[in-house]
Amino acid sequence: MTDSFATARERMVQEQLLHRGITDPKVLKCMSEVPRHLFVDSAMHASAYGDHPLPIGGDQTISQPFIVAAMTQALQLQGTEKVLEIGTGSGYQAAILSRLCDKVYTVERINTLLANARKIFDRLHFYNILSRLDDGTLGWSEHAPYDAIIVTASGPEIPEPLVEQLADPGRMVIPVGGREVQELEYLTKIDGEIKVERLESVRFVSLIGEYGWHG
Ligand code: SAH
């Protein structure tokens, strides 16, 4: 995609991703192509490629580019996967995933955010993203199992329905911890065995729902 922000995107990849361990060429390529500025308010277009999260309304944020890239890379997508995302927000993370897998199913609890994200998916012709308004801590059982699950808001623990809806083999990346600071966790399910590994400390907005924070 060529637009006036192509140079800003290239600089973001060079300065924020390459030096910090993002090495998957497919992840780097889609981060240099997907127009991140379209997922934020036009007043913030100029800062859309900065090394920080940005507000997207409803007290929510679009994650810093490095976090989006690191979570995506952790999923090691090959192109054939069915991926579930919890927390559509701006839609940017779903858009990145959609370039790297077969289908993205994304769930958001705030209607205005979801409506906005859907408009951008249509505008970009990203037709392999299906979205739904619901409490994502319950997953999206209709399309389960998912080869990979990514949760972009954090709760006190990994929601059980998500573990159940993960395929075997399958992998999940999810921030877990307190309200302010959390650990990014990487869960795998292989031959029925669940393993959880800690990746790094992160700060995410709250995952609110039945298997998350209650308000
Ligand atoms: N992936 C998003 C990040 C948005 S911030 C992006 O790329 O912009 C996290 C989002 O999770 C917020 O929009 C918030 O409303 C949503 N969220 C929080 N709890 C949720 C739940 N139980 N189900 C679905 N979405 C939830």
Side-chain angles (χ1 to χ4, degrees), residues 21-193:
I22 308 298
T23 51
D24 184 333
K26 289 188 287 187
V27 174
L28 293 167
K29 182 165 186 282
C30 72
M31 296 283 299
S32 73
E33 288 176 352
V34 173
R36 179 171 161 95
H37 62 281
L38 295 184
F39 294 85
V40 298
D41 193 88
S42 55
M44 288 182 296
H45 277 183
S47 51
Y49 297 95
D51 192 12
H52 45 71
L54 283 169
I56 53 172
D59 277 339
Q60 306 302 323
T61 54
I62 175 174
S63 301
Q64 177 190 6
F66 171 72
I67 293 292
V68 174
M71 290 176 83
T72 306
Q73 178 167 273
L75 294 178
Q76 298 172 36
L77 299 171
Q78 303 301 315
T80 55
E81 297 86 351
K82 209 155 98 173
V83 179
L84 174 68
E85 180 197 30
I86 306 306
T88 317
S90 68
Y92 178 65
Q93 174 74 74
I96 292 289
L97 293 167
S98 77
R99 306 298 84 204
L100 300 167
C101 69
D102 183 38
K103 266 207 175 70
V104 179
Y105 295 87
T106 182
V107 185
E108 171 58 54
R109 63 184 282 275
I110 300 178
N111 197 13
T112 48
L113 291 177
L114 188 63
N116 226 0
R118 280 177 172 160
K119 270 190 222 150
I120 309 166
F121 299 152
D122 280 350
R123 176 169 168 193
L124 294 173
H125 302 179
F126 286 180
Y127 298 129
N128 63 337
I129 306 174
L130 279 86
S131 59
R132 168 190 170 95
L133 185 71
D134 203 354
D135 171 8
T137 67
L138 303 171
W140 190 344
S141 58
E142 200 182 334
H143 301 287
Y146 301 95
D147 304 300
I149 298 181
I150 177 169
V151 184
T152 63
S154 86
E157 58 193 20
I158 300 176
E160 195 47 45
L162 300 184
V163 179
E164 277 160 22
Q165 291 174 30
L166 186 64
D168 187 347
R171 60 274 195 203
M172 181 183 332
V173 60
I174 176 170
V176 181
R179 283 278 194 173
E180 295 298 323
V181 183
Q182 309 92 29
E183 296 289 330
L184 194 57
E185 298 194 340
Y186 182 70
L187 177 150
T188 52
K189 188 194 270 186
I190 299 168
D191 295 332
E193 196 185 335

Side-chain angles (χ1 to χ4, degrees), residues 185-203:
E185 298 194 340
Y186 182 70
L187 177 150
T188 52
K189 188 194 270 186
I190 299 168
D191 295 332
E193 196 185 335
I194 307 290
K195 279 198 187 134
V196 180
E197 189 186 317
R198 291 197 160 172
L199 300 182
E200 58 195 288
S201 293
V202 286
R203 290 175 84 95

